[in-house]
Amino acid sequence: MASTETLEDIKARIEQVTPEEAQNEVEAGDAVLVDTRDAVNRQEVRIDGDEFAPAGNGGVQSHTEEFGDRVAELAGDRSKRVLVYCNVGNRSAVAADALTREHGFENVASIEGGIAGWEAAGLPVVVPEGMSAEQRNRYSRHTLLPEVGVEGQLKMLNAKVLLVGAGGLGAPAALYLAAAGIGTLGLVDDDEVDESNLQRQVIHNTERVGMPKTESARKTIESLNPDVDVVEHRMRLDASNILDIISDYDVIVDGADNFPTRYLLNDASVRLRKPVVSASILAFDGQISTFVPFEGPCYRCLYPTPPPAELAPSCGAAGVLGVMAGVMGLLQANEVIKLVIGIGEPLIGRLLLYDSLGTRFTELKVRRDPECPICGPNAEEIPESELGKFPDYELFCAA
Ligand SMILES: [Zn+2]
């Protein structure tokens, strides 16, 4: 539009229709209805049966060839009746003018008053289901991503994720999974917050020293995001309780600080076919992989036996860079979200090593072990009566 032109000039030369007239045309099947607002507007409210061609702020994008081509694609051809709308009818007026004068459309009208006028006239609108207005706002930066969308966010809100350990890995992972809107977060930990934890376990704080870690984490999560249900499992996982606990969850985050728990979790999760995002940290180095039973290797395929005691962080007070632990915990949270939504490439069959001093990532391929006693083709079937019974891992690891 020329700089001397006002919106009134434009509205005077285009065709405008009332919301009622527009609805009649759409219902008769004579017109293509096009929303010219931004994606974020559509998540709030839109008109049923519409198409989407964003015209940009003030309609500036309606002058681009892309916009004309997009509407032509939606309409089928440029002689077709096209009704454009926006929030209050200004942007769509500019778009209607551009479609007519610049893009060769023959029969375009803008809906007067936009969707606000449409709603004021009592005509029906579509409000995305399953999310409240507060949730649409809270998660708008997720839902704006086409790969996530409202559908992906709803998957997260309905997901149940178990974190084994609310420590160096579990604390940052839980914090971000809670912020992301994972609807149920289970926390397994029987420890209490210690001052020496606070250098990396950012879900806890100084006032909570002495408090059970699951309780401290729950308090932080509840104040961060009221959408999240926190389930506290204030205990150690053992052969008698593990199947019962993990059966309720969709994905498990392994942030255990000892090998007996890792092997126990692996064997139980393979049996129940639960994906596990597993990471470990020591000093300046971390590693992470995603174990999806029978789709890729399991933890035992990767580590048939635990490393010697001097390499096992749980066997002594080992130092760890707090920030590195945070990086690994967030990589776990990232893997969880991909698994929950079903996007991207999970770390299945890949072991990712992170060297924080060199700031280097190295990826190793890991294959399923045909000799694996848990997920291999010759793994012995354990009768149902034996479910929940595992060999003595404490002894196994000590050996
Ligand atoms: Zn295996």
Side-chain angles (χ1 to χ4, degrees):
M1 98 182 145
S3 58
T4 51
E5 274 186 328
T6 66
L7 208 50
E8 272 57 49
D9 295 333
I10 290 172
K11 284 185 178 179
R13 71 172 172 242
I14 64 163
E15 184 190 350
Q16 295 192 91
V17 293
T18 65
E20 288 88 348
E21 288 165 347
Q23 191 195 31
N24 288 337
E25 286 194 44
V26 172
E27 279 190 353
D30 299 334
V32 179
L33 179 65
V34 177
D35 181 2
T36 61
R37 301 171 303 160
D38 294 329
V40 68
N41 303 122
R42 288 177 69 69
Q43 285 162 14
E44 300 283 323
V45 60
R46 62 181 187 83
I47 300 172
D48 193 26
D50 65 351
E51 302 287 353
F52 177 49
N57 218 345
V60 289
Q61 283 169 28
S62 65
H63 305 294
T64 64
E65 212 171 296
E66 287 82 1
F67 181 77
D69 291 347
R70 167 82 182 140
V71 177
E73 186 188 316
L74 296 171
D77 79 76
R78 293 178 196 237
S79 64
K80 175 101 181 174
R81 176 70 162 167
V82 175
L83 300 175
V84 287
Y85 80 94
C86 61
N87 285 322
V88 295
N90 292 340
R91 179 183 303 200
S92 63
V94 175
D97 191 46
L99 287 171
T100 306
R101 288 156 58 106
E102 299 164 30
H103 303 305
F105 285 80
E106 295 166 18
N107 195 359
V108 183
S110 168
I111 300 178
E112 222 172 350
I115 196 167
W118 181 282
E119 283 192 278
L123 299 177
V125 290
V126 179
V127 176
E129 273 177 42
M131 269 165 68
S132 65
E134 290 79 18
Q135 287 175 325
R136 288 201 297 276
N137 192 27
R138 176 182 286 266
Y139 305 116
S140 61
R141 296 308 186 275
H142 272 165
T143 54
L144 279 169
L145 298 166
E147 294 82 355
V148 181
V150 171
E151 203 184 325
Q153 188 62 50
L154 286 172
K155 284 181 184 170
M156 285 196 260
L157 287 165
N158 290 321
K160 295 178 166 187
V161 175
L162 181 70
L163 293 115
V164 176
L169 293 162
L175 206 51
Y176 271 81
L177 290 173
I182 296 290
T184 303
L185 283 177
L187 302 168
V188 182
D189 206 302
D190 67 343
D191 221 355
E192 290 171 357
V193 178
D194 184 86
E195 233 166 11
S196 67
N197 301 148
L198 301 177
Q199 155 261 24
R200 64 197 179 285
Q201 300 179 18
V202 292
I203 206 165
H204 312 301
N205 65 47
T206 309
E207 284 172 17
R208 309 250 178 90
V209 169
M211 186 183 283
K213 284 187 179 177
T214 56
E215 184 186 352
S216 166
R218 179 175 55 75
K219 284 176 186 290
T220 302
I221 291 169
E222 282 173 355
S223 62
L224 172 63
N225 189 348
D227 288 340
V228 183
D229 280 332
V230 177
V231 183
E232 290 184 57
H233 303 281
R234 218 176 280 176
M235 56 173 66
R236 285 188 88 79
L237 288 179
D238 61 37
S240 73
N241 60 27
I242 188 163
L243 288 174
D244 196 35
I245 290 177
I246 70 173
S247 64
D248 285 343
Y249 293 92
D250 307 316
V251 183
I252 300 159
V253 176
D254 180 5
D257 59 1
N258 64 85
F259 286 100
T261 303
R262 285 183 187 271
Y263 283 91
L264 178 68
L265 177 60
N266 179 69
D267 298 357
S269 62
V270 169
R271 190 166 307 178
L272 296 185
R273 295 176 179 257
K274 301 281 183 184
V276 177
V277 179
S278 180
S280 60
I281 48 177
L282 182 63
F284 296 98
D285 296 314
Q287 51 177 261
I288 175 173
S289 191
T290 295
F291 301 112
V292 177
F294 307 107
E295 272 186 43
C298 76
Y299 188 78
R300 271 184 200 269
C301 294
L302 179 59
Y303 297 115
T305 55
E310 63 271 21
L311 294 178
S314 56
C315 295
V320 64
L321 188 70
V323 173
M324 190 278 298
V327 169
M328 298 312 294
L330 294 196
L331 284 173
Q332 285 182 293
N334 190 60
E335 286 300 297
V336 168
I337 286 172
K338 283 157 51 188
L339 288 173
V340 166
I341 304 179
I343 57 171
E345 287 174 64
L347 275 171
I348 299 171
R350 297 188 284 152
L351 179 68
L352 185 69
L353 311 176
Y354 173 49
D355 154 27
S356 69
L357 279 183
T359 311
R360 280 189 187 91
F361 287 93
T362 309
E363 189 180 301
L364 305 176
K365 273 205 159 48
V366 186
R367 291 192 175 80
R368 284 182 70 185
D369 176 2
E371 303 297 314
C372 177
I374 296 299
C375 80
N378 302 319
E380 263 180 56
E381 272 224 16
I382 299 167
E384 248 179 64
S385 59
E386 292 286 306
L387 273 182
K389 290 185 184 169
F390 293 89
D392 188 337
Y393 284 88
E394 303 279 354
L395 205 68
F396 172 69
C397 285

